[in-house]
Amino acid sequence: MLKHPDRGKWRMWLDRINGEMAASGVDRHVFDRWWSVIGSNAAIDVNNRFVGLIWSSYFERQTLTVRRQLDCDKQAISLVGLMREVAAYATQLHRADFLNAYTSPAYPDAWQEAQALFTSFADPAAADVVSGNAVQGHIDGLQSAFVGLQDLADKWLAHSDRSRQWPGPSFDQLSRCLDLLYATWRRYHALAGLGPIEADFGWLAGTGWEVVLDVPWRAAVPKDEPPCPDLSGT
């Protein structure tokens, strides 16, 4: 078991992980808002090719996001890579240090929240240090949730595998996987980064983008003008 966790490196990793998680969460918020508009408008054919393009682009983008965060390659910066480092230094990560970095006894609700959070990383037989087995259990849970989506990412999106068969992942499975990924990210940010993280994806997305849903998309084009510039070079 290693003795001295490199928290500077962990915070550097978290900077990159945080950026991708926040972008994924904002994408999800925007997509959900867009889909609620599309789904509630009976005049829109949801089987339209353009609607399908947006839907599939979102699905594929989020699937690849999860794939990157579950990447176990030693050269990759990923959430699972961070979790593996946490497991390697588990016995050096103590409850008292975590609690004092998270909050203070002057805030009893936050103190109890921090106690419960640390307990989720510990083994009852050694309740004051992180358990490597508990961390591995969290990794296993993420990987189990990604089954099917992993094949889609590896054999259909990253490259065209000659022996591929459609793995049949569902949109609901992706949503459940994202829920688990975001929750795990928040927990391990608190543990490895020594502090809670607040990420309100709706607030991060803002509302300015919704203007595009309220304006006509097809502008009137005078009959004597081409609808787009001639790029043929002739």
XYZ file of all heavy atoms in Angstrom, residues 37 127 129 155:
28
model
N -39.851 20.080 -25.315
C -40.548 20.940 -26.274
C -40.994 20.123 -27.479
O -42.144 20.207 -27.931
C -39.637 22.107 -26.716
C -40.275 22.878 -27.871
C -39.360 23.034 -25.545
N -13.530 1.738 10.426
C -14.441 2.798 10.005
C -13.786 4.158 9.832
O -14.413 5.076 9.293
C -15.583 2.919 11.013
N -10.842 4.808 8.167
C -10.022 4.938 6.961
C -10.840 4.441 5.772
O -11.794 3.683 5.918
C -8.696 4.142 7.050
C -7.789 4.716 8.136
C -8.971 2.675 7.287
N -17.202 -0.766 -30.329
C -17.309 -1.488 -31.591
C -18.100 -0.760 -32.667
O -18.064 -1.151 -33.837
C -17.930 -2.870 -31.338
C -17.056 -3.745 -30.448
C -17.646 -5.129 -30.248
C -16.754 -5.999 -29.370
N -17.307 -7.360 -29.188
